[in-house]
Amino acid sequence: MEAEVLENLEIIRQSVRQFTHAHILPNVMEWDEGQIFPINMMQRMGAQGFLGVLVPEKYHGAGLGYQEYVTVIEEISKVCGSIGLSVAAHNSLCTGHILGFGNEEQKQEYLPKLATGEWIGAWGLTEPTTGSDAMRMKTVAEKDGDHWVINGVKSWITHGKSGHVAVVIARTGDLLDSHGMTAFVVERGTPGFTAGKKENKLGMRASETTEMIFQDCRVHESQVLGEVGEGFIQAMKILDGGRISIAALALGIAKGAYEASVKYSKEREQFGRPISSFQAISFKLADMATKIEAAELMIRKAAKMKNDGQNVTKLSAMAKYYASEIAVQISTDAIQIFGGNGYTKNYPVEKFYRDSKLCTIGEGTSEIQKLVISREIMKGNI
């Protein structure tokens, strides 16, 4: 990257770091233990520009690109993966979908509220029985005059209860038809739109995950995003960018676990010397550092391609797959370096360990990423 870009990224990094250490770090374990989604903190981050990183300034966003976005997500996630996840989902899914496919009236209506944190966004594709198999979704929308009536349940939705507005994908055509689904913008308070159960999760516990339930929910046709029947196609494009988000999230968790391990290994003594002097520990740190470097290079390349308007389907899947897997590996090794201390909540690495696993599942499992990558290879996108 050019020197000017690197300088700008460093300014952004320092700004995010100061904010997270002052306002997020002191509360991390309280939020985690209590499964508290800190919506007030999200709104404060909106005021800092963290919730509208990619949104143009004319819609009150920061007007930045994917390099800056990766930096924001990574730096937040080094402190708390839960908050990093919520910021990523808000930016790349709900806000990103409206930015990418909304008409001008929809953008004017929703983007300023989302970019500033006045409103929190949710995005609904997954259902209780359809995750990766989204074309078999059971949530349907039927036309009734100038309205659509939505019925069904969406599950594993970030901000499914607290979100002020949701982008929802519903079936409007035949089962298994990739052009048989449509995206709708549905505001909280719309009759028939309610929240279901909240998930009690292993990690990412401060990032709210609930069901969204639709029972005869009437939505005006003006709330359709893009064209009727294009919802699934839109969602796949949104997930390309979303995978860069999750890769950045995983990178932040990996860096947080690694940096904590380096610090601890220099302070912890056994047999009269710091444990960092033992090859068993120093080699683990070397492996960690190498994996982080490789993941970051892949993510930064994907971010550049996204900024340049290139197809990132293969590389974003690669970045998400690799970064999420090494985040699990690094956080596991971090606990080993910390020994018994690493297994307690008095030290940060047990939370990195719990949070990291979601990165291999959310927005497409590692197995789905390999499926995407292999299909792209077979298309000739070597």
Side-chain angles (χ1 to χ4, degrees):
M1 284 186 280
E2 297 177 359
E4 183 179 353
V5 173
L6 290 172
E7 184 179 350
N8 288 338
L9 292 182
E10 186 58 29
I11 292 171
I12 291 169
R13 185 181 300 280
Q14 291 301 325
S15 174
V16 178
R17 184 174 298 172
Q18 289 173 9
F19 182 91
T20 56
H21 281 252
H23 302 294
I24 296 177
L25 184 59
N27 303 297
V28 166
M29 292 313 296
E30 178 187 353
W31 294 340
D32 182 78
E33 293 284 334
Q35 294 198 82
I36 299 167
F37 173 53
I39 191 166
N40 291 337
M41 185 57 62
M42 289 287 287
Q43 291 167 339
R44 291 185 69 172
M45 288 191 290
Q48 295 291 316
F50 302 162
L51 299 189
V53 180
L54 302 169
V55 176
E57 292 181 21
K58 70 175 182 176
Y59 302 120
H60 300 181
L64 300 173
Y66 265 79
Q67 298 292 0
E68 293 84 358
Y69 179 47
V70 165
T71 301
V72 170
I73 299 301
E74 174 204 320
E75 201 61 39
I76 293 172
S77 304
K78 283 170 64 176
V79 171
C80 182
S82 294
I83 305 304
L85 173 61
S86 278
V87 172
H90 177 94
N91 272 283
S92 69
L93 298 180
C94 179
T95 305
H97 202 137
I98 296 171
L99 177 63
F101 298 100
N103 58 39
E104 186 59 28
E105 183 177 351
Q106 291 166 336
K107 290 178 182 179
Q108 292 283 357
E109 174 65 22
Y110 295 111
L111 291 180
K113 296 172 184 175
L114 290 165
T116 59
E118 179 184 350
W119 280 17
I120 305 301
W123 192 77
L125 178 67
T126 301
E127 298 182 2
T129 58
T130 59
S132 302
D133 190 14
M135 284 201 293
R136 294 182 189 271
M137 69 171 55
K138 295 180 180 178
T139 298
V140 298
E142 297 180 338
K143 197 74 162 64
D144 181 18
D146 58 359
H147 283 73
W148 290 86
V149 182
I150 305 175
N151 282 283
V153 178
K154 296 295 182 180
S155 60
W156 299 102
I157 308 303
T158 304
H159 313 146
K161 179 180 179 181
S162 297
H164 299 84
V165 64
V167 172
V168 181
I169 317 300
R171 186 157 55 82
T172 52
D174 294 334
L175 194 68
L176 299 179
D177 180 2
S178 62
H179 292 277
M181 286 159 276
T182 301
F184 300 87
V185 182
V186 187
E187 295 183 20
R188 184 70 58 186
T190 302
F193 174 27
T194 58
K197 69 173 182 177
K198 180 178 178 179
E199 302 296 343
N200 185 8
K201 299 176 295 183
L202 169 70
M204 301 292 193
R205 290 167 61 83
S207 180
E208 177 188 274
T209 305
T210 72
E211 291 178 327
M212 294 193 303
I213 300 172
F214 299 89
Q215 295 178 311
D216 295 327
C217 179
R218 292 178 64 83
V219 178
H220 193 266
E221 60 187 6
S222 63
Q223 298 301 97
V224 170
L225 279 172
E227 299 297 325
V228 171
E230 294 300 309
F232 180 78
I233 306 301
Q234 294 172 8
M236 294 304 101
K237 292 178 180 178
I238 291 300
L239 287 174
D240 278 348
R243 286 167 182 149
I244 297 175
S245 296
I246 301 301
L249 169 65
L251 179 64
I253 291 171
K255 283 189 175 183
Y258 165 71
E259 291 175 7
S261 298
V262 171
K263 182 175 184 293
Y264 183 82
S265 72
K266 292 178 179 179
E267 297 170 350
R268 174 70 167 170
E269 291 190 359
Q270 290 286 279
F271 306 103
R273 53 183 173 139
I275 63 172
S276 59
S277 66
F278 295 103
Q279 189 177 86
I281 302 300
S282 63
F283 276 21
K284 281 188 187 299
L285 294 172
D287 283 340
M288 289 175 168
T290 302
K291 291 170 182 175
I292 286 171
E293 189 75 14
E296 183 157 20
L297 287 170
M298 199 179 299
I299 294 166
R300 292 295 178 182
K301 181 179 179 181
K304 183 180 186 306
M305 290 175 64
K306 185 69 174 174
N307 280 342
D308 292 344
Q310 298 181 50
N311 185 315
V312 295
T313 299
K314 184 184 76 169
L315 192 58
S316 66
M318 285 179 165
K320 194 269 188 187
Y321 166 54
Y322 183 75
S324 63
E325 290 292 337
I326 66 105
V328 173
Q329 295 165 18
I330 288 171
S331 58
T332 301
D333 284 343
I335 287 184
Q336 203 69 19
I337 289 171
F338 274 73
N341 287 332
Y343 204 65
T344 72
K345 293 183 181 294
N346 297 323
Y347 292 84
V349 291
E350 66 85 28
K351 184 175 183 299
F352 288 125
Y353 177 75
R354 288 186 290 109
D355 287 349
S356 66
K357 188 58 188 172
L358 184 278
C359 298
T360 69
I361 300 170
E363 295 197 32
T365 63
S366 291
E367 290 75 18
I368 288 296
Q369 303 313 314
K370 288 191 276 190
L371 179 63
V372 171
I373 295 163
S374 62
R375 283 178 175 174
E376 289 298 303
I377 292 170
M378 292 304 104
K379 289 178 184 177
N381 298 325
I382 298 173

